[in-house]
Amino acid sequence: MKILAIETSCDETAVAYLEATGDLPHPEFRVLGNSLISQVPIHKEYGGVYPMLAKREHQKNLPLLLEQTLKEVGVSRNASGVDAVAVTRGPGLEPALWTGVEFAKELADKWHVPLIPVNHMEGHLWSVLFNNGNTIEFPLLALLVSGGHTELVYAGDFKTFKILGRTRDDAVGEAFDKVARLLGLEYPGGPKISHLARLHRERSIEPSITFTVPMKNSKDLDFSYSGLKTSVLYTVKKLESLDDDTKQEIARSFEDAAIESLVEKTKQALLSHRARTLIVAGGVSANIYLREKINELKTEFEDLVVFFPQPELTQDNAVMIGITAYIMKLTSRNKPTSDIEASGNLSFNTV
Ligand code: KG4
Ligand code: ZN
């Protein structure tokens, strides 16, 4: 099945063309075309993503990326080689999502092919399937960490999901971005905080500034990041000056606390819910320290197989949307839809 996939939920406009073959549990994917325009240089001036600006950029970028992708693949404008169009329906920034949804609807109509709406967070989850050969054994636990979401999802098979825990306020990626701003670092802050934190760890000195690990003693699997961000704010306010060493120290202590919270809750979830596979995906799964700490769990849960997406698939992309559309087809969730709506708050088990 050849799928043209579109992603516009936040600040990346992405179009991909994939060939998907095989059945569950071993679907195979070949990416024949993949183009992406990041709006980071535009939004970074404002320190975050502006929905109406994102919408305008998606509208401008989509026709260009479609043209580029079809050319790359050698498919004619009438798209005789496309079997379905897949598009992110939510969650995300609603004006941005609508741009992709309207564009995808028009294409599916024009090409007379089905339109498959995809949940962005399910897209992050199945991004690990891009590495053909990753065998998913169920039950599966997923830690999904992005700029808008932080959730622990439990799956009994490729279509039955239960949310075990989620953030009560800010998402972990959002906390990285806000703390970066407090330290005078550019959006997106995750990679920059992570870099400074690593420099501090390499100096092998214990930080004198430390932060409490959020939700450590809560009796559930929820997360919370706004208190941690506020603690960083008060710490920064009290300083006379914010020199490079102090920035490194704060970045390190923030990352220590933020990541420990993720790993601790993942461990609690594994203790209370049997799982054979652990997937960690979403933008924050690019974080090296998180990957190290998650891999350490393998010593406690010996039979657990852990998957992360390959680095270029951690950030938003259209490949994961195409992969998920195929999983939806294989699990009979690709009901014929003529009129789909974008939904900013779409929850995990709905499309
Ligand atoms: O999944 P994603 O690309 O977009 C959303 O769906 O939100 O995630 C973006 C988030 C941003 O908050 C960014 O700062 C964070 O992922 N991020 C990181 C790292 N790389 C990206 N956070 C921590 N460490 C990183 N290395
Ligand atoms: Zn995302």
Side-chain angles (χ1 to χ4, degrees), residues 1-5 16-34 86 116 118 122-136 158 310 313 317-331 333:
M1 180 183 188
K2 298 201 175 78
I3 304 170
L4 185 102
Y17 181 90
L18 295 82
E19 188 173 41
T21 51
D23 218 327
L24 295 175
H26 293 294
E28 298 219 348
F29 301 96
R30 258 187 351 128
V31 176
L32 304 173
N34 185 18
I116 308 179
V118 172
E122 191 178 343
H124 276 302
L125 171 64
W126 299 134
S127 62
V128 299
L129 289 176
F130 178 65
N131 305 59
N132 300 318
N134 275 356
T135 303
I136 308 288
F158 278 97
Q310 59 185 62
L313 291 190
N317 63 85
V319 172
M320 69 184 195
I321 302 306
I323 291 176
T324 306
Y326 189 60
I327 300 299
M328 293 182 66
K329 179 187 176 273
L330 294 180
T331 50
R333 288 184 289 146

Side-chain angles (χ1 to χ4, degrees), residues 7 9 120-121 124 146-147 282-283 314-316 320:
E7 155 65 37
S9 68
H120 180 82
M121 295 314 288
H124 276 302
S146 70
T314 55
Q315 64 164 347
D316 291 347
M320 69 184 195

Side-chain angles (χ1 to χ4, degrees), residues 180 242 246 256 291 327:
L242 190 56
T246 316
D256 281 350
R291 289 188 177 214
I327 300 299

Side-chain angles (χ1 to χ4, degrees), residues 290-319:
L290 172 64
R291 289 188 177 214
E292 280 169 19
K293 291 287 162 191
I294 287 285
N295 277 326
E296 284 175 14
L297 289 176
K298 285 196 261 185
T299 54
E300 276 174 77
F301 301 91
E302 273 177 13
D303 299 327
L304 187 70
V305 180
V306 181
F307 294 125
F308 300 96
Q310 59 185 62
E312 43 314 349
L313 291 190
T314 55
Q315 64 164 347
D316 291 347
N317 63 85
V319 172

